[in-house]
Amino acid sequence: MNDGFLFHRKTREVLNRHAAEGYAVVVPLAATEQHGPYLPVFTDSIIGNHIALEACRKASSTMKLLLAPTLTIGCSQHHLAFGGTLSFTSSTYLAMLNDIGESLVRGGFRKIIFLNAHGGNEPLMHQAAQDLAVKHDIWTASSSYWSLSRTALNEQNAQDMGMVPGHAGGFEASLVAALEPDWIEAPDRAAQPLHPQRSWINAGPAGSFVGKHGQLTGADGYTDGYTHADAVKGAECLQSIIQSTASWLEQVVNWMNERMEVEG
């Protein structure tokens, strides 16, 4: 199986050569945080790492692309009250993303892409991508997997499993069940709410934030129940997410390459 796109498998000499050859670097972002009473705290990292790995495997077959190691701790301050969470503050996390970008720039790379799997990381990821592009003569891009695959997931009626992506609900449970079923504690489906709990995730129009102290992840740390979780459908959704993400990576890198040729 092709794994020649993995940044961490290379020597410094090979990476220096790849930087000079114009390779883009994808930096996957995830989290280690509470996911309700049944899903593992590594949920976002399980899902995010798989998507990044398989999407980059596809995209790297047609372009110069490297996948950095997944950053498995993110900005999860709103989960700390529930326990089972490792987190950086927002200021620390933003600084870390900028430092990772600075490291790649110092290493000669001029195309940096952040790929995210945890909602709390998203605004800081976009800010870091912008900061790096303002400071250096490089190209950056950033997105979360659910944004890239929204159309495909809607076509698959992924919302039938639960809020998409939600937090620790039916949708994420379906994805984890497709990847690591043994990591899920057997849920009492009858005890889970059928409908999404009130939370910032579904409050207001897209792009808005509405929140209250202590209620940023649902009343008990999850947004919806597992009643309609489905491992088979979860596997189908993962394939759509991977394809959507690979297509986006190809589009973004090709666009970067075209612009760089124009600019000389």
Side-chain angles (χ1 to χ4, degrees), residues 17-146:
R17 184 168 69 247
H18 285 342
E21 292 168 344
Y23 274 66
V25 181
V26 176
V27 182
L29 311 177
T32 300
E33 62 185 26
Q34 72 82 28
H35 267 72
Y38 306 120
L39 293 185
V41 299
F42 214 52
T43 288
D44 290 345
S45 292
I46 293 170
I47 295 169
N49 189 67
H50 179 77
I51 292 168
L53 184 66
E54 296 307 321
C56 286
R57 193 187 310 279
K58 283 179 175 290
S60 66
S61 65
T62 60
M63 61 183 50
K64 296 174 180 178
L65 191 70
L66 292 169
L67 176 64
T70 300
L71 189 58
T72 58
I73 298 176
C75 183
S76 302
Q77 297 295 96
H78 49 299
H79 293 284
L80 289 173
F82 298 100
T85 299
L86 302 176
S87 178
F88 297 108
T89 62
S90 57
S91 57
T92 297
Y93 192 66
L94 178 60
M96 287 179 58
L97 296 185
N98 274 293
D99 283 350
I100 290 170
E102 292 286 349
S103 299
L104 290 170
V105 172
R106 287 285 298 273
F109 291 98
R110 296 182 61 199
K111 288 170 279 191
I112 301 170
I113 302 169
F114 292 115
L115 178 60
N116 180 47
H118 165 55
N121 298 339
E122 189 171 64
L124 301 168
M125 166 189 72
H126 291 321
Q127 187 63 57
Q130 179 176 316
D131 289 346
L132 289 164
V134 167
K135 184 176 181 180
H136 299 286
D137 183 17
I138 63 171
W139 288 94
T140 64
S142 56
S143 191
S144 299
Y145 77 78
W146 52 85

